Amino acid sequence: MNVRAARRASRKHANPSRHAHPHPPSREELQRQVERQQHEIERLREQVAERDQQIADAEKQIADSEKQIADAEKQIADLERQLAARQKNSTNSSKPPSSDGLAGKSRQRGRRKKSKRQPGGQKGHPGHHRPLAPPEQVQEVHPVLPVECKHCGQSLPQQLEQIQTVGEVQRHQVTELPPIQPYVIEYPCPKVVCPACGEGTRAPLPEEAQGDFGPQLTALIAYLTIYCRMPRRVVEAFLEHVLGIAMSLGSTQKCWEQASAAVAQPSQELEQQLKNEPVLNSDETGWRNNGEKRYLWALVARNFVFYTVAKTRSSAVLIHLLGAVFAGILCSDRFSAYFKYHKGLSQLCWAHLKRNLLGIQDFAKTTDAQRFCRDALALYAHLFRLWHKFQGSLIDRSQLILRSIPLQQRWLALAEQYLDSDDKEVRNLATALFQHCGRLFTFIEHPGVEPTNNCVEQALRIAVQLRKIIFGNRSAQGEVATARLLTVTQTCRMQGRNTLGYLTEAIVCYRRNQPAPSLLPQRR
């Protein structure tokens, strides 16, 4: 027997039960094993159910947390937008200058770096002095004579006919107001007896003497209210304490209404002339009528300004004023009502566009916003350097058109480049510029068209100041009166007319049932 067989034999004898057949388990043991396994299965099922519940609770907590995070991110974004909106002012948005100040960060005014020059006129600057009035316009003359000689102390005569002068007389004038007092005109109206029939007859008052107040005083009340933007009670106090004219608040209102009626015809003439103008600038602002929302529209032509108060800000106002189709060039901002109404030549305001770009740049958080605004503002500066050369007569119109063509192409390419930007503000502005690129360069080819809408914004600024003082109107009649008087006073200002003189003349004509002087430019 070899060694391997011996080892197998020894292991067999050492563990004889290894190859013996075990006794089979009894029925009771099998039953107990089954019960133990069932209990174990139930325990495991309970554990699985408990784990499933824990997982469901955890998933719910995760979902709740994700919702809270999304809500918090949305709230943060809203707060950031609100903060950015409060920080915007008239230099980087379409907000008017009157909204600057406490409503947001004040805009930068003047130079960014303090000048080292002293205030006032600089060395070598020619002086400017008030010119002397000619002798025929001097009402009083008070000679000033020396009492004694400053050289020897000798007394000098104090009568002009007794003195001897040398050299040129030094003149000094003081402009003063005369004593202010009411100028009352009385119209006695006796009842004259007829020698033939013995009956008495009384002559009617002259037409310009109707009412208790003369045309110039009536015109002054309208002038102070609209042109000087003084509230009615301030006007009433000014008349009483400065001019010595006691007048009730109701009387000032009647004078104001009569001034409105006096300028109704020239105002209507200007409204009818609007549709015939080759170029119009238009804009609108909010207004109030007894607390209800209204809109004050202003349209600026070359020689006049027209105002109207409307219930809506829609294109229906333009259709009413200019007709269904306007043949001229309409200059405006990018408000949708102008796009809906006018399909012809138009000019979009570059000042609005620059403020939009600065607003995006100031609060930019994306690379697209920074690059888009940087490139757009560079093109803007290049274009306006070219425009200023044209205005300074350094280049003519043909050179302006030729040199602006590459800039127009680059501007269109820049807008097209950012049409699909992930930045919403950049994408919206690029889309608007791409769609209306042709409306930005109308001023290049057409004389009389300005690249900005500043002239009508300046016209609206007067109305905004008036709104902040008088808080709008209280009736439809007040709306009409405000629009008429704004139209007349600002048109007179544009044409260089004496506003108070024109109002006085219009009221005289109204009382005489004559047409008021026209404000339309006279054709030669």
Side-chain angles (χ1 to χ4, degrees):
M1 182 181 294
N2 58 22
V3 178
R4 184 178 295 176
R7 287 179 178 175
R8 285 200 298 267
S10 64
R11 286 198 297 269
K12 180 177 180 182
H13 291 292
N15 191 11
S17 63
R18 180 179 177 183
H19 299 281
H21 295 285
H23 295 286
S26 64
R27 186 180 182 86
E28 290 79 7
E29 289 177 351
L30 291 174
Q31 186 69 29
R32 285 193 295 272
Q33 289 179 4
V34 170
E35 290 177 355
R36 283 195 300 270
Q37 290 175 355
Q38 288 178 347
H39 287 309
E40 183 66 19
I41 291 172
E42 289 297 329
R43 186 180 66 80
L44 292 175
R45 285 178 177 173
E46 291 177 358
Q47 290 181 358
V48 170
E50 185 178 354
R51 294 290 176 85
D52 289 342
Q53 183 63 38
Q54 290 176 356
I55 292 172
D57 293 341
E59 290 178 347
K60 183 179 179 182
Q61 291 178 359
I62 293 172
D64 292 341
S65 299
E66 289 178 347
K67 185 176 183 301
Q68 291 177 359
I69 292 172
D71 292 341
E73 289 177 347
K74 182 179 179 182
Q75 185 177 8
I76 290 171
D78 291 340
L79 291 174
E80 287 179 344
R81 283 194 296 269
Q82 292 177 16
L83 180 60
R86 290 184 65 84
Q87 289 177 342
K88 287 185 178 181
N89 53 41
S90 58
T91 64
N92 55 18
S93 71
S94 297
K95 298 173 65 176
S98 59
S99 66
D100 290 345
L102 296 178
K105 183 179 178 181
S106 298
R107 61 173 176 164
Q108 184 75 24
R109 299 178 186 272
R111 297 183 179 90
R112 295 184 181 272
K113 294 183 179 180
K114 187 175 181 180
S115 175
K116 296 182 179 179
R117 297 190 306 174
Q118 294 294 325
Q122 307 301 309
K123 283 188 176 181
H125 175 73
H128 297 281
H129 305 281
R130 181 180 178 84
L132 293 173
E136 59 270 15
Q137 294 182 6
V138 176
Q139 281 76 28
E140 294 184 21
V141 178
H142 296 281
V144 181
L145 302 178
V147 178
E148 60 182 22
C149 177
K150 68 177 182 179
H151 301 285
C152 64
Q154 175 67 34
S155 297
L156 298 177
Q158 297 300 299
Q159 301 295 328
L160 284 176
E161 59 273 9
Q162 298 176 357
I163 65 173
Q164 181 181 358
T165 63
V166 61
E168 186 178 357
V169 177
Q170 180 180 339
R171 300 171 63 201
H172 174 75
Q173 293 180 348
V174 176
T175 302
E176 176 62 295
L177 283 174
I180 300 176
Q181 57 183 3
Y183 189 80
V184 180
I185 304 175
E186 183 176 341
Y187 293 88
C189 300
K191 196 171 186 179
V192 180
V193 177
C194 176
C197 64
E199 297 294 333
T201 303
R202 202 184 305 275
L205 285 171
E207 294 173 340
E208 63 271 16
Q210 300 293 331
D212 298 328
F213 306 102
Q216 190 160 345
L217 178 56
T218 303
L220 177 64
I221 291 172
Y223 179 87
L224 294 175
T225 304
I226 297 296
Y227 196 87
C228 300
R229 299 176 288 284
M230 293 171 59
R232 306 291 169 77
R233 293 195 180 277
V234 178
V235 172
E236 180 187 4
F238 174 81
L239 294 175
E240 181 177 0
H241 301 301
V242 177
L243 303 184
I245 302 173
M247 184 181 294
S248 67
L249 194 62
S251 296
T252 61
Q253 176 66 20
K254 288 181 179 179
C255 291
W256 188 73
E257 292 173 355
Q258 188 177 81
S260 167
V263 298
Q265 181 180 352
S267 180
Q268 187 177 6
E269 287 180 354
L270 296 181
E271 180 180 355
Q272 294 173 351
Q273 177 62 23
L274 287 173
K275 60 188 70 176
N276 301 323
E277 287 296 308
V279 180
L280 281 178
N281 290 73
S282 179
D283 202 358
E284 69 291 329
T285 187
W287 196 257
R288 292 285 178 181
N289 183 351
N290 206 20
E292 295 182 2
K293 188 69 174 178
R294 294 288 189 274
Y295 294 95
L296 179 71
W297 290 70
L299 292 94
V300 177
R302 194 175 79 172
N303 294 303
F304 66 89
V305 189
F306 180 80
Y307 296 84
T308 186
V309 179
K311 294 182 179 180
T312 178
R313 198 186 175 196
S314 69
S315 57
V317 179
L318 295 171
I319 295 174
H320 172 72
L321 294 175
L322 307 179
V325 177
F326 179 57
I329 301 175
L330 186 61
C331 309
S332 66
D333 54 21
R334 298 193 307 276
F335 181 47
S336 59
Y338 298 106
F339 294 145
K340 181 179 179 182
Y341 167 71
H342 190 57
K343 307 302 181 184
L345 284 176
S346 61
Q347 173 64 52
L348 297 181
C349 179
W350 279 89
H352 279 78
L353 176 57
K354 181 181 179 181
R355 291 196 290 265
N356 293 146
L357 290 170
L358 291 175
I360 296 175
Q361 184 184 56
D362 289 347
F363 306 102
K365 293 186 177 180
T366 64
T367 304
D368 274 5
Q370 295 173 354
R371 291 177 178 175
F372 175 72
C373 294
R374 177 198 63 194
D375 296 342
L377 289 171
L379 288 175
Y380 173 92
H382 193 171
L383 177 66
F384 273 81
R385 282 197 297 269
L386 188 63
W387 173 249
H388 292 150
K389 286 183 180 179
F390 170 73
Q391 287 187 313
S393 301
L394 299 178
I395 58 176
D396 58 17
R397 177 73 66 174
S398 60
Q399 292 174 315
L400 173 66
I401 295 173
L402 184 63
R403 294 172 63 175
S404 69
I405 292 175
L407 293 176
Q408 297 183 40
Q409 295 173 344
R410 290 168 60 187
W411 190 265
L412 182 62
L414 178 65
E416 186 177 11
Q417 179 182 350
Y418 288 91
L419 289 177
D420 298 323
S421 173
D422 294 332
D423 190 303
K424 182 179 178 181
E425 291 189 1
V426 172
R427 184 173 66 252
N428 291 343
L429 185 56
T431 302
L433 298 181
F434 184 78
Q435 292 176 348
H436 306 294
C437 189
R439 298 173 183 254
L440 289 169
F441 299 97
T442 307
F443 74 100
I444 296 290
E445 300 182 2
H446 296 272
V449 180
E450 290 294 322
T452 68
N453 215 27
N454 290 346
C455 61
V456 70
E457 289 186 354
Q458 292 169 359
L460 279 181
R461 189 173 303 168
I462 305 296
V464 170
Q465 294 171 351
L466 181 64
R467 180 191 66 200
K468 289 180 177 291
I469 294 172
I470 68 173
F471 306 107
N473 302 112
R474 294 187 178 181
S475 65
Q477 185 179 2
E479 290 178 354
V480 173
T482 300
R484 285 175 181 170
L485 292 172
L486 278 172
T487 297
V488 169
T489 55
Q490 295 308 310
T491 297
C492 286
R493 182 179 183 179
M494 177 183 287
Q495 296 178 359
R497 295 196 184 194
N498 185 307
T499 306
L500 182 59
Y502 178 84
L503 288 173
T504 302
E505 187 177 359
I507 292 171
V508 170
C509 293
Y510 174 76
R511 293 183 177 182
R512 292 176 177 175
N513 293 320
Q514 298 174 353
S518 176
L519 288 172
L520 290 174
Q522 301 298 322
R523 296 180 180 179
R524 296 181 179 179

